[in-house]
């Protein structure tokens, strides 16, 4: 069994302790949550689609636990000049095993192989340092195995591509960038880095490394919970936002929010977290009572597919496909309106028409971010004849999150004003725990499955019901949260 792999090497560049735990104690990692899995699924889909850009290529369809089979299969494909590209090629050298996204054969005039181009496929829209490190390791192993690699490239999504309708233009959807020179510069440092990691992995115990900001860059480390389980809730890294001299404070032995020196410069939110008490401004009651009935509570759900689905859209363009509106009358009566696109056609025109009907011309429209305003901007640009009506709606928007950020804080927010952090602190009886869909990323992925992949109508109906329940919970939460907070502040603070 090889001690290093591509993924472990990249983990080792982020943190010595991470690569040690991934090698010796992977069971300590926190499994990816639903939102992370949805993002990973999107990256996998892009990788599969990218292969179609190389017709005639062959996939080494052996799982990552079938190492010997994958190596033997790859060896046969490497020797066959008729194969223009190999997907998931398995190669080992210097004690390191890699699987390449795309290994493209470069053929000379005589029809024989003169070299190779290694291509790393990314769902991102630009190159990153971690991508160059990834390719550098692949070059190191491929060259060590005796392959002549003439070029290293990154293949990523081109956000300038405008989808004109089927079929997809894969030449326009993907951009392939030659990064050979940048990769070559990193190759110089690579052998020493590999040797240091191999030596590290031979140690009887993981290195003693304090968790810190490096745990979140370039990716969130799955061992964060494991490494911070003994930390207090008042640990300094739990302070939201940036603290310029954070490392200097740790070097001085200050690792608690409560130990921060009096004169240190903090943001208003950081000051509230340090105070650790329920706080409200003198203006909060007045601001909450500014709403005009009927009070609407609006939330959009959107998709941002890497592969555009509707003509005239681009990769990662935000497309609204669903909304919910809980309406409270002055007498306390609650009415719920909703919209969910049911087909594969562009839903935006119907969505905005139905929305304008629901919102009418009267009443405050409560939202929980600036996101709804931005979605409405895009809809107004798309449908100019509705621009005036949409502009009138935007003037009625009331950002509940901004109100809270300016006028209220509760210690149980733990420094966050996200709806899912605020709700349990003020209204613990209303949560998302009973829902099949609990976050926006999962909602987007499930919508795409329902609209473009799912053939089973029973399963389609199940997903649609789950999507409606999730979006409705967001707007109901805003309504109940606003009422509960108003009732709370009319009573003395405990």
């Amino acid at each position: 069994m090889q001690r290093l792999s591509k993924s472990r090497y990249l983990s080792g560049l982020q943190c010595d302790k991470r690569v040690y735990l991934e090698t010796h104690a992977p069971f300590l990692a926190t499994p990816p949550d639903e939102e992370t899995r949805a993002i990973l699924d999107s990256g996998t889909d892009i990788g599969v689609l990218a292969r179609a850009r190389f017709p005639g290529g062959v996939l080494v369809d052996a799982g990552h636990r079938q190492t010997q089979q994958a190596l033997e299969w790859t060896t046969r494909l490497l020797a066959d000049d008729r194969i223009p590209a190999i997907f998931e090629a398995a190669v080992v050298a210097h004690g390191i095993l890699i699987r390449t996204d795309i290994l493209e054969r470069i053929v000379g005039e005589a029809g024989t192989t003169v070299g190779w181009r290694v291509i790393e496929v990314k769902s991102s829209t630009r190159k990153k340092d971690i991508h160059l490190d990834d390719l550098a390791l692949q070059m190191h192993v491929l060259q060590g195995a005796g392959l002549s690699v003439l070029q290293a490239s990154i293949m990523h999504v081109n956000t300038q591509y405008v989808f004109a309708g089927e079929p997809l233009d894969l030449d326009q959807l993907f951009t392939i960038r030659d990064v050979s020179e940048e990769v070559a510069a990193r190759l110089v440092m690579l052998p020493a880095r590999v040797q240091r990691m191999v030596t590290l992995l031979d140690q009887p115990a993981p290195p003693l490394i304090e968790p810190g900001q490096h745990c979140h860059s370039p990716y969130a480390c799955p061992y964060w919970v494991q490494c911070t389980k003994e930390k207090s809730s008042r640990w300094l890294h739990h302070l939201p936002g940036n603290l310029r001299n954070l490392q200097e404070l740790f070097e001085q032995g200050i690792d608690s929010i409560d130990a921060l020196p009096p004169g240190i410069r903090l943001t208003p939110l950081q000051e509230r977290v340090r105070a650790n008490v329920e706080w409200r401004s003198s203006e909060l009651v007045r601001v909450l009572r500014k709403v005009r009935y009927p009070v609407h509570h609006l939330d959009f759900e959107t998709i941002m597919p890497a592969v555009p689905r509707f003509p005239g859209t681009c990769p990662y363009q935000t497309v609204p496909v669903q909304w919910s509106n809980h309406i409270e009358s002055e007498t306390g009566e609650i009415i719920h309106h909703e919209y969910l696109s049911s087909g594969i056609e562009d839903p935006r025109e119907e969505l905005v028409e139905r929305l304008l009907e629901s919102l009418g011309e009267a009443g405050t429209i409560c939202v929980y971010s600036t996101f709804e305003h931005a979605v409405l901007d895009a809809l107004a640009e798309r449908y100019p004849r509705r621009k005036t009506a949409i502009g009138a709606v935007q003037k009625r928007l009331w950002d509940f999150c901004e109100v809270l950020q300016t006028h209220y804080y509760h210690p149980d927010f733990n420094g966050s004003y996200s709806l899912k952090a605020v709700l349990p602190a003020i209204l613990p009886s209303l949560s998302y725990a009973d829902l099949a869909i609990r976050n926006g990323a999962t909602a987007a992925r499930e919508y795409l499955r329902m609209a473009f992949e799912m053939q089973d109508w029973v399963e389609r109906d199940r997903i649609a019901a789950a999507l409606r329940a999730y979006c409705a919970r967001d707007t109901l939460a805003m309504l109940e949260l606003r009422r509960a907070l108003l009732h709370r502040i009319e009573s003395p603070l405990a």
Side-chain angles (χ1 to χ4, degrees), residues 50 263 295 315 405:
V295 185
Q405 288 173 332

Side-chain angles (χ1 to χ4, degrees), residues 6-19:
K6 188 171 67 166
S7 61
R8 287 178 183 172
Y9 173 75
L10 296 177
S11 294
L13 294 183
Q14 180 172 353
C15 174
D16 286 349
K17 188 174 182 180
R18 175 174 179 174
V19 68

Side-chain angles (χ1 to χ4, degrees), residues 74 78 86 89 91-92 100 103 113-116 138-150:
T74 299
L78 288 170
I86 307 171
V91 182
V92 64
T100 65
L103 193 58
T113 303
V114 298
W116 299 87
Q138 292 182 57
M139 287 279 285
H140 178 67
V141 173
L142 291 169
Q143 291 174 347
L147 275 68
S148 175
V149 183
L150 304 181

